[in-house]
Amino acid sequence: MNGSALIIAIDGTFASGKGTLARRVAGRYGLAHLDTGKLYRAVARDLLAEGGSLEDAERAAQVARRIDADTLDDPYLKSGGMGSAASKVSVHPPVRAALLDYQRKVAARGAVLDGRDIGTVVCPDADVKLFVDAAAEVRARRRFEELKGYGEDVTVEGVLAALRERDDRDMSRATAPLKPAADAHLLDTSKLSIDAAVSAACDVIDAVVNATA
Ligand code: DC
């Protein structure tokens, strides 16, 4: 391990359950949790609020350099529109570079970070790396239920189409594309309850913690 600071990287596809998993794992090990998707969502929110374009890499990077971590709990960030806007600003290398330092500082204190490039780029030396995925139809159904809970007017088909588009963009971008790190443990949550997924993740983490204790 890196001194006493345990770093757990949880990457995965959209609506794979990685966010809930990361929050639960952080609670179990007494670690801070950073949902790094919120950083990209906040960049998209602030950029659009000042009239900027999601295609404008330089302006998006300027916004990313002044992101206020105290605004990450804004419920508006969880909307479907912000997710797709976040995916668009996240393709710009200067935006990714601007957010690196903050993510690494959080990690250095010991944390669970979830995102798309934590195990590959942000924390390549993380103690434990998990890559979470599930069948697209299962993820679409989960996300549909979540968005309905926020009061959004959505259909499963619409959510599935948006999900495929997002997977495609996240996996095919040139910089830090979504992919499992070579040393990541793969976790398919298609048939797992959240409790079962947490338990499987903790088995992997415990094995690492016990081996280095
Ligand atoms: O995890 P999420 O749905 O909140 O992420 C929103 C978008 O942000 C995602 O489609 C791609 C981008 N993202 C990223 O590029 N790298 C990360 N570490 C986290 C999110």
Side-chain angles (χ1 to χ4, degrees), residues 5 18 29 38 65 74 76 102 130 168:
K18 66 181 169 16
Y29 294 90
K38 283 190 178 173
R65 279 181 217 112
D74 175 2
Y76 177 56
Y102 177 74
L130 295 169
D168 225 41

Side-chain angles (χ1 to χ4, degrees), residues 41 75-84 143-156 159 162:
R41 287 169 182 258
Y76 177 56
L77 292 183
K78 297 309 283 177
S79 69
M82 277 300 106
S84 143
R143 183 64 177 152
F144 168 74
E145 300 294 349
E146 190 186 354
L147 289 175
K148 254 191 11 188
Y150 298 146
E152 291 199 26
D153 183 18
V154 283
T155 61
V156 182
V159 171

Side-chain angles (χ1 to χ4, degrees), residues 150-172:
Y150 298 146
E152 291 199 26
D153 183 18
V154 283
T155 61
V156 182
E157 295 71 28
V159 171
L160 180 60
L163 179 145
R164 290 197 196 282
E165 190 188 317
R166 184 105 81 88
D167 277 357
D168 225 41
R169 195 184 303 114
D170 292 348
M171 289 174 183
S172 63

Side-chain angles (χ1 to χ4, degrees), residues 90-208:
S90 75
V91 303
H92 305 311
V95 170
R96 308 199 69 81
L99 297 176
L100 256 188
D101 203 40
Y102 177 74
Q103 296 176 81
R104 286 183 175 155
K105 274 193 186 131
V106 172
R109 298 193 288 264
V112 179
L113 283 81
D114 74 89
R116 302 290 190 289
D117 63 339
I118 309 303
T120 51
V121 175
V122 179
C123 302
D125 296 328
D127 301 290
V128 185
K129 298 180 187 178
L130 295 169
F131 190 89
V132 190
D133 199 3
E137 290 73 13
V138 174
R139 292 186 286 128
R141 169 63 60 182
R142 286 180 188 156
R143 183 64 177 152
F144 168 74
E145 300 294 349
E146 190 186 354
L147 289 175
K148 254 191 11 188
Y150 298 146
E152 291 199 26
D153 183 18
V154 283
T155 61
V156 182
E157 295 71 28
V159 171
L160 180 60
L163 179 145
R164 290 197 196 282
E165 190 188 317
R166 184 105 81 88
D167 277 357
D168 225 41
R169 195 184 303 114
D170 292 348
M171 289 174 183
S172 63
R173 67 178 175 231
T175 306
L178 169 65
K179 63 170 185 203
D183 50 351
H185 299 265
L186 305 182
L187 189 59
D188 186 328
T189 65
S190 303
K191 295 187 177 141
L192 296 183
S193 66
I194 185 62
D195 283 345
V198 171
S199 163
C202 289
D203 285 349
V204 172
I205 298 164
D206 286 343
V208 173

Side-chain angles (χ1 to χ4, degrees), residues 6 8 22-23 25-27 29-34 106-107 109-113:
L6 179 66
I8 301 175
R23 198 169 55 245
V25 164
Y29 294 90
L31 294 167
H33 168 222
L34 179 64
V106 172
R109 298 193 288 264
V112 179
L113 283 81

